[in-house]
């Protein structure tokens, strides 16, 4: 009998889109039907949170929902907030293991973001927290609505656009976090939701 994990395994014999240094997009790693099934599974299964952060002295809710999943004890800190990890479900563990095997990275943490519609977003940032190490390798899987992903070279401010489709897997490695920021801007015309999964390797001895 097929299990949910059989339906959702990303495959990597797919088309590759080349991007600025350090970014690689593997297109269609999950068929749209499977990506849709996984999207709805995660909507139900994740313990969604909408943390509040302080920006310029003002407390605001982040414009999306999040769930942080990781090996035991691997806390994640950003913008002054600490997220305690949820345990791996069988489905996410299987996907994590597949991605670890494919990319040769022992992923041990996953940040899941749910953009309910085009009003939800993520501002310019680099994933450069010390616990990710100097040149982290992050595998980012997109499910649901297609959204624009922007990369901005820190020195030249040149902006590169990438349309992330359901089932695409974007790999950010090498100098991608050192040389670039990235963002997911608001797109009010998008009415559908999107879930993004970023698999990371958190250095256990760096957790504060
Ligand atoms: O939703 C995306 O594609 C980007 C997510 C992201 O940049 C992050 O989780 O750090
Ligand atoms: Fe990011």
């Amino acid at each position: 009998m097929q299990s949910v994990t059989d339906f959702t395994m990303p495959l990597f014999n797919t088309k590759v889109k080349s991007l600025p240094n350090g970014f690689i997009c593997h297109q269609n790693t999950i068929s749209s039907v499977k990506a849709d099934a996984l999207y709805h599974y995660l909507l139900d299964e994740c313990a969604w949170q909408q943390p509040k952060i302080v920006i310029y002295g003002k407390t605001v809710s982040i414009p999306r929902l999040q769930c942080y999943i990781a090996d035991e004890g691997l806390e994640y800190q950003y913008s002054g907030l600490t997220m305690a990890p949820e345990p791996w479900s069988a489905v996410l563990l299987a996907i994590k293991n597949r991605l670890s095997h494919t990319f040769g990275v022992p992923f041990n943490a996953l940040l899941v973001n749910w953009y309910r519609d085009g009003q939800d977003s993520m501002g310019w940032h680099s994933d450069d927290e010390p616990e990710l190490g100097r040149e982290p390798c992050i595998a980012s899987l997109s499910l649901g609505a297609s959204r624009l992903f922007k990369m901005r070279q820190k020195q030249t401010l040149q902006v590169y656009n990438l349309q992330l489709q359901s089932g695409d897997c974007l790999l950010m490695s090498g100098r991608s976090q050192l040389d670039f920021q990235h963002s997911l801007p608001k797109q009010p015309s998008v009415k559908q939701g999107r879930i993004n999964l970023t698999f990371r390797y958190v250095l256990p001895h760096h957790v504060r």
Side-chain angles (χ1 to χ4, degrees):
M1 205 184 83
Q2 270 190 320
S3 69
V4 189
T5 49
D6 296 324
F7 285 108
T8 53
M9 283 311 221
L11 297 170
F12 288 90
N13 52 356
T14 59
K15 256 173 104 178
V16 169
K17 214 171 188 172
S18 86
L19 295 164
N21 244 347
F23 295 88
I24 298 172
C25 185
H26 298 262
Q27 297 178 286
N28 270 309
T29 64
I30 302 181
S31 73
S32 59
V33 173
K34 292 176 184 180
D36 209 49
L38 183 54
Y39 174 87
H40 289 287
Y41 166 82
L42 292 173
L43 265 196
D44 285 348
E45 289 300 310
C46 289
W48 297 111
Q49 296 188 9
Q50 191 175 21
K52 289 184 166 43
I53 53 169
V54 179
I55 304 176
Y56 302 119
K58 254 189 157 176
T59 303
V60 293
S61 294
I62 62 164
R64 61 190 175 277
L65 300 190
Q66 276 187 343
C67 177
Y68 174 63
I69 295 156
D71 292 1
E72 225 180 302
L74 290 183
E75 289 182 344
Y76 176 65
Q77 302 199 348
Y78 78 100
S79 298
L81 106 130
T82 305
M83 293 186 82
E86 297 284 333
W88 295 97
S89 65
V91 170
L92 291 176
L93 190 64
I95 295 173
K96 180 203 69 152
N97 289 340
R98 167 68 64 96
L99 294 174
S100 285
H101 182 79
T102 303
F103 296 121
V105 178
F107 295 118
N108 57 8
L110 164 64
L111 187 63
V112 189
N113 281 292
W114 171 26
Y115 306 89
R116 293 159 293 183
D117 59 26
Q119 296 293 342
D120 277 350
S121 62
M122 191 179 291
W124 288 111
H125 70 282
S126 300
D127 293 284
D128 57 3
E129 291 83 10
E131 58 265 42
L132 297 179
R134 199 178 128 76
E135 294 190 359
C137 178
I138 298 174
S140 162
L141 194 58
S142 292
L143 306 168
S146 162
R147 291 285 298 258
L148 188 63
F149 178 86
K150 288 179 171 274
M151 293 149 280
R152 181 169 71 187
Q153 232 271 351
K154 289 181 189 173
Q155 277 204 322
T156 61
L157 298 184
Q158 185 170 354
V159 174
Y160 301 82
N161 290 335
L162 171 65
Q163 196 66 38
L164 282 174
Q165 313 279 358
S166 191
D168 287 354
C169 184
L170 174 69
L171 200 68
M172 298 187 273
S173 62
R175 295 190 57 85
S176 57
Q177 307 299 336
L178 291 167
D179 294 344
F180 292 84
Q181 290 187 313
H182 54 271
S183 69
L184 198 94
K186 278 189 191 190
Q187 287 181 277
S189 61
V190 175
K191 303 298 175 203
Q192 248 72 56
R194 169 178 182 268
I195 290 177
N196 175 259
L197 301 100
T198 50
F199 293 85
R200 298 145 187 265
Y201 174 67
V202 173
L203 294 164
H205 58 275
H206 255 275
V207 174
R208 288 158 283 186

